[in-house]
Every structure is written in structure tokens, then in C-alpha cells.
Amino acid sequence: MERRYRIPARPSLIAAAHPAIQEQVSANGAVPATPANRIAVAIERAREAIEAQESPSEDLSVEFCEALALLIEKAAHPVHGDPAFQALLLQRQCAAVNEYVLLSAGQNDDRRAVTANINAIAHPQKVLRMPVGPVREVAERMYQQYAAEAWDKLADEAQAIVQPEPIRGDLVFTASLKRLLSTGALSRLQRLSVLQNHTDVMKYRALRARQGPLAGSAYAREQGAQARQRGDAVELRAAHALKYLAARLEALCDHHNVYRVVTSLRSPAILPMATDHAKGEWDVVLLRRSASASEASPYDLCLLIEAKASADAATGDLPRLMRGLQALASAGRDVHYACMTNEGEVSIHGASLAGWPTCQAEASCGVLYCSDSQIEPLAGLLSPGSRMQLLSCEDSLTFAARLQDGEKPCADALQPVWQQVLYAPRWQPVMQQYQSMYRAREMMVHVDDLLAAARRWGDARVQGTS
């Protein structure tokens, strides 16, 4: 089967960045010698050395630190830099921005708490049932202030009412307002409202806006919906290709075996290694059982296909997929597992799960990523996640702050970052990042190639038996 998404097992660099040159050498995996690509190559060479039980050379350390220094300098540039990195720097340097970020993280919970309290005492339907008088007037004003997010006015109104005997005869109403003031949610929203007008906070928010649509925004939801639609379309085409293959397989084995294709197969929750951090739903699955078996007999698992909108999405998904495979492989060999699918419940023999490959090097034997995305030249060897982890660590931020202060720090100041990448457990995904990209691409096929391969394979088998 054609694997048009493949990349070389070992990355290489070229000094030139001209598009024409990139196109000529992309087949060999050579990419421009940008700081990010130099970092990726240095990390990969170090990984190979450690795997061979050797110490990474001093040259790799120097190359990494110099390239990271250039990457930081570029990201920190006030005009052409990375807004995400600049926002991190501003948060580190400005106490008001840091406070704003911390309060923003809990903003939704605080809003929910205030909403619950206001609805309990001043919801419009509740107000309509109140007798005309001071309490009703206060409730109406407070709901208007809440709806307008006028947190200061709302707090002042509530504070005035809980003073000694402002509204006689309504202790329940007063007690509810005391709860509103005592939770801290309203005061945090007040403080957040004040901070939004701080000069540095406004600068921070502008930097965040340049990063793309904010999580939860209408545009972000639209982009997510479009990506899901592309993934769903790939899933339908992959299922079609597997159904075609299943029909050919049944015909070629004289119907001794029955093949079935199901979609959205959910891993059984009773697997010994089931975990929230593992993939638990498989997009398209090919199953097989003997034709002589009863309808109640379990199937064997033959092939798993995961539909992805892009090659980058597959790389990011790979760790979760591997944990999902490890969960499947923990199945008991003599157990029959009931799995739900879009086509109903199916029973799967545990032995076909227990033998499933659980390392990246072997995963492509039974799992494929399937996409219809265009093939783009390999221009970036450093994943976005690895790049941001390198930039956002404390030593990188300190280096950038010194640059902003007009200093010219030596690249050796970034040696602690290199040591963390080599040996710290939380940096292992960065150390393995090129291999993860390589393995994900090895497992990836274009949906057109999947169908073409099924047809070619079936036609070849038919000709061989005629």
C-alpha cells in the first residue's frame, strides 16, 4: 500500500531555505536549518546516543543551546515574534497580568456561583411573585446589575441590604445576600473587572487574541466542527474501503470466514488496564469469525482504523492511541468481551486482543491512521507542543527577560534546559518527539490509497486463483 505521508527515520538539514530547494530535497527528508529544526535534530541525535548507551557529545549540547537561544530571540521579537511566548513573558514579569490569568482560570466557576445565588433571590420569575415593595425593587435592580455584569454595583447593593435592618421583615432575603457576599466569587469577579482595564493586562489580552480564536469562542467552535466533519467524512470512506475488502476476503476464502466492519467500537470498561488517558473508541474496525460458528460466537479483531483530519493530528494522538492498545492487550485470552458499536453490540474474543502489538514500532501491523489531507513538504521537525515546552520553561523565560533588558546572555545559560531534555521524565515526550512523528506517519495512509490497495489486493488474489 502506498504510504504518501512517510518521513525519513532520521532527519537531515540543509542550510538553504529557498522553496525550490526544499521541494527538491524533501523526498530525502532534508529541511531548512532553522533554529527549531536544528533543535529537533540535536535532540534526535542525543536520543540515538542514549539509546546506544553512549553520552551525547558536547557538540550536540552547543548546537542545542545556540539554536534555542536563536529560537527565543526570534520568539521574543516585539514585532515579528510569537504572541503566545510574549504573553507568557508578560505574565511572568507583571504581577497584575499574573493575577488576571489566575482569576480568569476560575472565572466560569465564579460566574456559576454568582448566577446560582442571584437566581435564588432575584430570578425574574421569582420577582414576579413577590409583593410590591422594597424587597421586590431591590431584587429587580440586582438582577439588572447581574445581567449587565456590573459586579461593583451588585456588591454595593448587596452590602447595603445586609447592614442592620435595611429591609425589615425579610430575613430570608438578607441571609441569601450574605451567602452571595461570603463565597468570594463576587469579589473575584469585581477584581477581574478592574484588572481588565490595566494597561499590561490589555496588552496581554491583545497578544492572546493574536494567537487565534479563544477556547470556547464561536469561531473556535466553528473550526472544531469543521475538523470533526472532515474526520467523519474520512471515517465513512475508510469504512467503505474496509467493507469492500471484507467482501473480497469472504469470496477468496470460499466463505469459510465471515468478515464484518463496525464503526465507533468502544473498548470494554472491564479491561484490566482501562484508563481515562487511553483511547477508548475506535473509528473503523474489521472483525472476523469462522462461518461455521454460531451467531453468538465472538469475533476476532483484525484491523483498527483511526480517521484524522491531518497528519499533525495523528502525531498528537499517538500516545493516547498506544495507551489504548495497551489496554486492549491486557484482555484475558479466554474471556469474551461485549463491545458497543454504532451497529450494535458485538462480542470479541479476548485472545485476539491480548496479542495486539503494544509498542510503536509494531503498531502499524494492526492499526492505521487514515486521512484525506494534502501531503505537505516536511518543513518542521519540532512539534508545536515541544517548541512551546522549550520556550515556556523557566530558564528560557529568564533568558528572554535578559534579552528584553538589553543584555546579551551567553547561550550556555540554557544548558539546564538541555540537561532536562536528556534526563528529566517530564521531558521524555520532547526527547521522543521526532520518533513519535515518524511512527505516526508510518501508520498513516490516504483514504484513496486504502481503497485502491483493497482493490488491487483482491484483484491479484482472484487472478492467482483463476
Side-chain angles (χ1 to χ4, degrees):
M1 187 189 311
E2 183 179 352
R3 299 295 181 96
R4 62 177 84 178
Y5 296 101
R6 268 182 173 151
I7 61 175
R10 300 185 82 238
S12 56
L13 294 173
I14 57 173
H18 192 279
I21 300 178
Q22 287 187 38
E23 185 176 352
Q24 292 172 10
V25 300
S26 61
N28 296 320
V31 296
T34 62
N37 288 339
R38 288 170 58 191
I39 289 170
V41 172
I43 292 173
E44 179 61 13
R45 297 291 183 264
R47 185 199 64 80
E48 292 172 349
I50 292 173
E51 193 174 76
Q53 298 184 335
E54 300 173 358
S55 297
S57 69
E58 184 63 26
D59 289 343
L60 287 178
S61 173
V62 172
E63 171 70 0
F64 172 88
C65 292
E66 290 181 352
L68 180 56
L70 290 173
L71 185 69
I72 293 170
E73 184 178 357
K74 182 179 179 181
H77 191 280
V79 178
H80 307 295
D82 181 346
F85 181 61
Q86 292 172 0
L88 276 176
L89 270 177
L90 192 57
Q91 180 184 348
R92 182 179 185 270
Q93 296 166 342
C94 178
V97 173
N98 188 57
E99 184 184 5
Y100 169 81
V101 172
L102 294 175
L103 290 175
S104 295
Q107 180 180 187
N108 289 337
D109 289 339
D110 287 338
R111 285 177 181 274
R112 281 192 288 269
V114 171
T115 298
N117 279 293
I118 288 296
N119 283 339
I121 58 178
H123 190 279
Q125 295 300 319
K126 184 183 291 286
V127 171
L128 287 175
R129 296 192 295 271
M130 291 180 179
V132 175
V135 173
R136 178 167 177 167
E137 292 174 3
V138 168
E140 289 175 342
R141 282 200 307 273
M142 291 187 68
Y143 196 86
Q144 291 170 358
Q145 292 157 358
Y146 156 76
E149 298 187 359
W151 308 123
D152 284 342
K153 291 182 179 180
L154 180 61
D156 290 344
E157 188 84 53
Q159 192 65 51
I161 295 172
V162 299
Q163 298 302 320
E165 300 183 346
I167 300 180
R168 296 182 181 277
D170 204 317
L171 297 178
V172 174
F173 189 82
T174 303
S176 297
L177 290 179
K178 287 181 178 180
R179 284 196 299 272
L180 173 65
L181 293 170
S182 65
T183 63
L186 181 55
S187 62
R188 287 191 293 270
L189 290 176
Q190 285 180 268
R191 178 59 179 162
L192 192 60
S193 180
V194 171
L195 287 171
Q196 286 178 345
N197 297 318
H198 191 284
T199 302
D200 287 332
V201 170
M202 289 191 289
K203 182 179 178 182
Y204 174 85
R205 295 178 68 187
L207 288 169
R208 288 294 306 271
R210 285 171 53 194
Q211 297 173 39
L214 295 176
S217 67
Y219 185 71
R221 290 193 295 270
E222 180 184 350
Q223 293 293 98
Q226 290 177 1
R228 287 191 295 273
Q229 288 173 0
R230 292 196 302 271
D232 291 344
V234 173
E235 183 178 327
L236 286 173
R237 296 178 65 191
H240 172 71
L242 277 197
K243 288 176 181 177
Y244 182 90
L245 177 61
R248 287 297 185 97
L249 288 172
E250 283 194 23
L252 290 171
C253 67
D254 296 326
H255 299 281
H256 290 156
N257 289 322
V258 173
Y259 290 87
R260 182 180 179 185
V261 176
V262 295
T263 57
S264 295
L265 183 143
R266 272 78 87 188
S267 297
I270 62 171
L271 288 172
M273 283 184 60
T275 170
D276 292 338
H277 301 291
K279 183 176 290 295
E281 183 173 344
W282 307 90
D283 291 340
V284 187
V285 181
L286 179 64
L287 305 171
R288 177 192 63 218
R289 75 178 175 201
S290 172
S292 60
S294 69
E295 288 292 324
S297 297
Y299 286 93
D300 287 330
L301 193 63
C302 298
L303 180 64
L304 298 170
I305 288 183
E306 284 297 297
K308 292 296 173 188
S310 68
D312 287 343
T315 301
D317 179 74
L318 185 60
R320 183 166 167 264
L321 179 137
M322 296 309 304
R323 289 191 291 269
L325 294 182
Q326 291 165 5
L328 292 180
S330 70
R333 289 186 171 274
D334 298 323
V335 180
H336 298 171
Y337 292 92
C339 301
M340 292 304 301
T341 74
N342 284 347
E343 292 74 24
E345 185 178 280
V346 296
S347 179
I348 298 180
H349 198 285
S352 71
L353 301 178
W356 212 255
T358 57
C359 66
Q360 289 185 9
E362 299 174 357
S364 58
C365 298
V367 186
L368 293 175
Y369 280 117
C370 196
S371 182
D372 63 355
S373 63
Q374 294 182 346
I375 312 302
E376 298 179 356
L378 182 62
L381 304 179
L382 190 67
S383 71
S386 295
R387 176 183 176 277
M388 186 48 66
Q389 186 170 342
L390 287 165
L391 286 174
S392 60
C393 70
E394 186 62 26
D395 293 289
S396 294
L397 291 171
T398 299
F399 191 91
R402 292 175 64 186
L403 286 173
Q404 287 186 335
D405 289 340
E407 297 183 40
K408 294 183 178 180
C410 178
D412 284 346
L414 297 169
Q415 274 289 338
V417 184
W418 175 244
Q419 294 302 316
Q420 289 181 78
V421 171
L422 295 183
Y423 304 114
R426 80 178 188 91
W427 286 86
Q428 271 302 297
V430 177
M431 176 65 86
Q432 299 291 332
Q433 66 102 36
Y434 185 80
Q435 283 302 299
S436 294
M437 185 188 303
Y438 169 72
R439 295 298 180 192
R441 296 291 191 96
E442 283 290 295
M443 297 165 61
M444 197 163 196
V445 298
H446 195 283
V447 66
D448 291 341
D449 298 333
L450 178 66
L451 181 57
R455 287 172 174 165
R456 285 197 306 270
W457 185 83
D459 292 343
R461 290 293 299 271
V462 169
Q463 292 173 8
T465 56
S466 60

